């Protein structure tokens, strides 16, 4: 608690503006600090397509924050909150590892301050209220077959992907759950700028269509106040420390393959006003997290990163056969960033046992092709192991650049899809399902036609071809509006918004023994 207070005081956060949740977690009342002038540099972490064990983006982000503070800079880390789906599933925890860790690991990964519970409950209150209106004579004339708002829960449960619910004796309808990290409520909260903006987004959230095809919004249910009451604490960023006492905001946790993939706008904007350097992470590879950060999170062009850090490991390069292919996979990810004319540093995330020969080969290729790079050894050495990376990032942040957008607001929906699939997935052609064609035509005639796209795609393959099919063409299966989050969801190749558990999952290894939680990976 003393260390938390010390860091809060260094950031000039007043006692009346934070509240402790136990001994080593606090919630910040952000409102009194958002009028301050933004003074911090924004550093965005991304990576190549990761291995099943990840690529170490979070670990590198933590190490970089520790390294920046180690060399005397005022750095703040802003991360997503872990979902219980990956924690109990295959991917595992999201608090780093080794000497690059955010603490307390068990609390952050298991329940934390209850934000995800609040988000799930708020989301499901809306779903329950929709069915309740239908039950009580349906005064809003809701079409049970055209309900947009889906239920959610914060676990992997494939059995809830498609279910049938009975509303009355005579009325049944099909329903599908999403995982909370991919829910409408998660993205709405993560993109809200403040309470006023959150209320506006909620009120204007499309929830269903009536039997004449007219849109029905959340404000028609008259429960916006109740939803706000459930989120009154969840909208406040959570404050914790790394193992080396770097201040860290952990807030909201949308997935990157089926949602927006980064921490809340509120926590990023707060960090930019409190510190000199803010480090944020975008999920999975740059084909997902980075693309969405630049084209969705940055839709107002107010969160352009001063430096992008591309995280690379030898194990992922070997997974993609990059040492045999002259770093073709890596180069495609580097092009994702360079096409926007942004500053970039490649962080080689060192893992004990890495081949010195391959490290030299990678470093030589990067140097010969004009890419800035540095080693990150923070996992083993802690803050001092990221010292050189921190210095390199500080140096590169000083370089001037001129951001070059890829997508224009008034591009058509199909033009936006083409730009993303061509420039991020390297595909010259995609197929559209009949349903997607109809949905695009309908949205193109609506008030939502100029919204940015949030692509739903597999994270394991750059082009989404995770099964290595011959003559592969990506399928655009479905297109939906999330009017509260203010983007259009584009589903590809039958990617599900509710993951399933592996045959042997992390849940098989987690236990509570002699007062301690064990098995968190």
């Amino acid at each position: 608690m003393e260390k938390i207070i010390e860091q809060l005081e260094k950031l000039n956060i007043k006692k009346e503006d934070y509240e402790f949740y136990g001994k080593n977690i606090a919630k910040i009342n952000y409102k009194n600090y958002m009028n301050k002038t933004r003074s911090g540099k924004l550093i965005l972490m991304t990576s190549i397509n990761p291995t099943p064990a990840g690529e170490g983006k979070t670990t590198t982000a933590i190490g970089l924050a520790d390294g920046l503070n180690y060399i005397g800079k005022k750095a703040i880390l802003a991360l997503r909150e872990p979902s219980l789906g990956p924690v109990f599933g295959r991917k595992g925890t999201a608090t780093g590892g080794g000497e690059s860790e955010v603490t307390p690991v068990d609390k952050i990964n298991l329940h934390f301050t209850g934000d995800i519970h609040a988000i799930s409950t708020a989301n499901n209150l809306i779903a329950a209220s929709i069915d309740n209106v239908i039950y009580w004579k349906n005064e809003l004339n809701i079409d049970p077959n055209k309900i947009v708002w889906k239920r959610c829960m914060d676990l992997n449960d494939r059995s809830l992907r498609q279910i049938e619910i009975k509303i009355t004796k005579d009325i049944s309808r099909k329903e599908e759950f999403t995982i909370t990290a991919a829910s409408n409520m998660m993205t709405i909260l993560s993109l809200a700028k403040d309470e006023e903006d959150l209320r506006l987004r909620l009120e204007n959230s499309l929830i269903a269509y009536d039997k004449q095809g007219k849109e029905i919004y959340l404000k028609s249910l008259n429960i916006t106040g109740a939803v706000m009451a459930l989120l009154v604490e969840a909208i406040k960023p959570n404050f914790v420390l790394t193992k080396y006492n770097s201040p860290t905001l952990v807030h909201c946790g949308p997935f990157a393959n089926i949602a927006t993939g980064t921490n809340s706008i509120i926590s990023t904007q707060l960090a930019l006003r409190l510190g000199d350097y803010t480090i944020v992470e975008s999920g999975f590879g740059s084909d997902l997290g980075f693309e969405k950060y630049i084209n969705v999170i940055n839709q107002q062009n107010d969160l352009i990163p001063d430096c992008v850090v591309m995280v690379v490991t030898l194990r992922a390069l070997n997974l993609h056969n990059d040492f045999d292919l002259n770093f073709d996979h890596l180069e495609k990810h580097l092009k994702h960033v360079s096409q926007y004319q942004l500053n970039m540093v490649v962080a080689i995330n060192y893992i004990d046992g890495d081949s010195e020969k391959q490290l030299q080969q990678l470093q030589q290729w990067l140097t010969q092709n004009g890419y800035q790079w540095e080693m990150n050894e923070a996992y083993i050495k802690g803050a001092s192991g990221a010292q050189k990376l921190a210095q390199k990032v500080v140096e590169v942040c000083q370089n001037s650049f001129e951001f070059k957008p890829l997508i224009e607001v008034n591009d058509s929906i199909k033009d936006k899809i083409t730009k993303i699939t061509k420039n991020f997935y390297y595909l010259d052609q995609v197929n559209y399902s009949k349903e997607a064609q109809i949905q695009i035509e309908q949205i193109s005639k609506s008030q939502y036609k100029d919204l940015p796209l949030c692509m739903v795609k597999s994270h394991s393959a750059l082009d989404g071809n995770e099964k290595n099919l011959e003559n592969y063409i990506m399928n655009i299966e479905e297109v939906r509006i999330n009017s509260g989050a203010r983007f259009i969801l584009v589903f590809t190749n039958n990617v599900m918004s509710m993951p399933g558990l592996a045959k042997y999952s992390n849940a098989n290894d987690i236990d509570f023994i002699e007062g301690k939680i064990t098995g968190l990976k």
Side-chain angles (χ1 to χ4, degrees), residues 369-389:
N369 287 275
Y371 294 109
Q372 302 265 23
W373 62 270
E374 192 51 78
M375 296 294 298
N376 171 41
E377 298 182 79
Y379 183 91
I380 299 169
K381 299 179 180 179
S384 64
Q387 181 178 355
K388 290 183 179 179
L389 176 61

Side-chain angles (χ1 to χ4, degrees), residues 11 42 53 60 77 121 161 218 256 265 294 311 333 350 354 359 387 429 435 464 494 498:
L11 297 174
L42 179 60
T60 305
L77 185 62
T121 305
R161 287 173 179 166
L218 176 60
I265 295 288
I294 291 299
V311 181
H333 282 279
Y350 180 77
D354 276 350
L359 282 174
Q387 181 178 355
Q429 180 184 353
E435 184 180 18
N494 294 314
M498 170 58 83

Side-chain angles (χ1 to χ4, degrees), residues 337-456:
V337 180
S338 60
Q339 69 186 327
Y340 290 90
Q341 299 183 358
L342 295 168
N343 293 327
M344 177 169 55
V345 173
V346 177
I348 303 172
N349 186 24
Y350 180 77
I351 298 172
D352 195 23
D354 276 350
S355 163
E356 286 297 326
K357 182 180 178 181
Q358 287 191 332
L359 282 174
Q360 290 174 9
Q361 187 179 345
L362 170 60
Q363 292 164 357
Q364 185 178 22
W365 183 88
L366 290 168
T367 301
Q368 288 176 345
N369 287 275
Y371 294 109
Q372 302 265 23
W373 62 270
E374 192 51 78
M375 296 294 298
N376 171 41
E377 298 182 79
Y379 183 91
I380 299 169
K381 299 179 180 179
S384 64
Q387 181 178 355
K388 290 183 179 179
L389 176 61
Q391 290 168 336
K392 177 67 73 174
V393 168
V394 169
E395 174 190 324
V396 171
C397 276
Q398 308 310 313
N399 296 339
S400 61
F401 66 94
E402 187 173 339
F403 178 66
K404 179 186 177 184
L406 173 69
I407 296 172
E408 301 295 336
V409 172
N410 57 0
D411 285 342
S412 71
I413 294 172
K414 281 195 172 182
D415 281 347
K416 289 176 182 176
I417 291 173
T418 297
K419 285 185 176 182
I420 293 171
T421 55
K422 185 174 182 178
N423 291 282
F424 280 90
Y425 312 156
Y426 300 94
L427 298 173
D428 293 323
Q429 180 184 353
V430 294
N431 282 337
Y432 289 88
S433 71
K434 185 177 180 180
E435 184 180 18
Q437 291 271 25
I438 293 170
Q439 291 164 337
I440 289 172
E441 288 175 14
Q442 291 173 338
I443 297 171
S444 297
K445 297 174 184 176
S446 76
Q447 60 182 305
Y448 308 113
K449 62 185 176 63
D450 292 332
L451 291 178
L453 306 185
C454 183
M455 304 295 289
V456 180

Side-chain angles (χ1 to χ4, degrees), residues 60-71:
T60 305
I62 296 167
L64 177 57
D66 288 337
L68 285 166
N69 286 310
Y70 182 79
I71 63 173

Side-chain angles (χ1 to χ4, degrees), residues 123-140:
N123 187 93
N124 292 339
L125 172 62
I126 296 169
S129 298
I130 293 168
D131 289 328
N132 194 48
V133 168
I134 297 172
Y135 178 86
W136 292 106
K137 308 304 180 186
N138 200 0
E139 291 182 357
L140 295 177

